[in-house]
Amino acid sequence: MPAKGAQRREQRAPTVNGSGAATPRSVTADVLVIGAGVIGLAIAWRAAQRGMRVVIADPDPGSGATHAAAGMLTPVAEAAYAERELFDFGSASLRRYPQFAAELTEATGLPTGFRQTGTLQVAHDVDDMAALHEHALLRESFGAQTERLTGRECRAAEPMLGPVCGGLLVSDDASVDPRLLTTALLAAARAAGATHLRQRARRLLAGDSAAGAELDEGTTVAAGQVVLCAGWASAAIEGVPAEAAPRLRPVKGQILRLRPTAATRAASPSPSFLNRTLRGLVQGSSVYLVPRQDGEVVVGATQEELGADTTVTAGGVWQLLRDARALVPGITELEFAEAAAGLRPGTPDNAPLLGPSALPGLVLATGHFRAGVLLAPLTADLIADLLVTGILPAAAAAFSARRLAAQPFEHQDAAPSWR
Ligand code: GLY
C-alpha cells in the first residue's frame, strides 16, 4: 500500500537531502513535522500514507529522548494514581503495536525489536512488597490483568533473579528497540513519500495561522499545517505565540546498556539474559531491566528535574547498577557498553499535548514524558486523522493541547537543542 502511494507522490515531492542531493531553498508541503523522534516520524509516516505531502525537519532523527529510551511498552506496570485516562490511552496504543511493528517491517524490511514477552515487577524487601501490593490494588481498580507471584515463583520465571519477596506478572506487556524503530520509521515515512530535511526548525512562520517554518540552513518550508513534536525543545522554537506554545520541562533520564560476553554466553543456554522486562523496587528506588533478543540488557532510568542537563553522572550510573545488581546479581558479568542521558518532555500534568493549539494550523504532539515510545502508534493515527479531516478524534480529547493554555507560559532558559 505505501509503495504505490509513494510512487505517485515522489513525482511532486521536493528534493530530499540527507541522500546527497542539494538542500532546496524553499519547499512546499501540506504538513511540516518539526522533530523526528519516534512521535514525529510515526505521524509523518501515517500522514504520508494518507496522501499528504509531508516534510520532516530534524538534523539528527532519533537523537533526543528516543535515543535514551529503553522501549518498554508497559502501561500496566507504569500505571499511576490519577492517571486513569493515560492508562487507557497507553493500553489502547499497546494493542496497536503488533500490527504497527509488523506493518513497518513489511514496508521497509527493517526490524523494530518488538517483543511481547510481558513484565515481571518484583519487590526486593518487605516494604517494597507493601508498595507493590498497593500498586496491584491500583491496577486492579483500572481493570488490568495482573498475576501475583511469590518470591519463589518469580525466580522460577526469571532464573537470573536473586532473592526477592514477590512480584506481579503482566503477560501482555511488550518492548521495542527505539533506535531500530526510529530507523524503520524514517525509512517507512520516506518510502511513503515524505521528505526529510536534515535541518533544525529555527522559526515558525505564522500570521493569523501557521504557515510553515524557516530552517537553520536557510530553507523555508511553506505548509498550511505544522506539527510540533520536538520533545522538550518544542517549547523554545522562535515565533510560536505564547498562548500556543506547549508548556514543557525537560526531565532527565540516565540509562545503561549491558551486553553479554563470550563467557556469559557460554554459561547460559539462552541468548536472552532475562525472559521479559523486569521492573523492581529496591528499598523504595525503582529500576527496570529490558532485555533485547540479542542478549543486550537496557537498565534504566533515573528521573531528574535538573533542566536541560544531559551529563551522565557517576551517581546516576552507580544508582542504576546498585539497584539492578540487587535484583539480578549476574549483571556484573556483562560488558558495560554504554551510558546515555536523555530529556523526557514533561507537561505540568505529565500527560501529552495532542491536537490543535491556540494558533490555527499549529498542531501539538508532544509532552509524552515517560511514554513516547508506547504512545507513538495511537498518537500517530489520531494526529494523522486530524491532519486529513480537520477533526481531532474523541480518543484524544482528554489530552487536548489547549487544556493548559489558560495558565501562564514561561520560555525555557536553555537554548533549544535537538541533540
Ligand atoms: N518509560 C520509562 C522511562 O521514562 O524511564
Side-chain angles (χ1 to χ4, degrees), residues 380-414:
D381 289 344
L382 299 176
I383 297 294
D385 269 354
L386 168 68
L387 296 170
V388 171
T389 66
I391 298 166
L392 184 68
F399 307 111
S400 155
R402 303 191 67 172
R403 72 182 184 279
L404 307 169
Q407 301 170 25
F409 173 80
E410 289 172 14
H411 272 282
Q412 306 281 349
D413 286 341

Side-chain angles (χ1 to χ4, degrees), residues 72 78 288 301 344 369-371:
M72 279 187 303
E78 295 215 309
Y288 50 78
R344 309 172 181 93
F369 190 35
R370 293 176 57 95

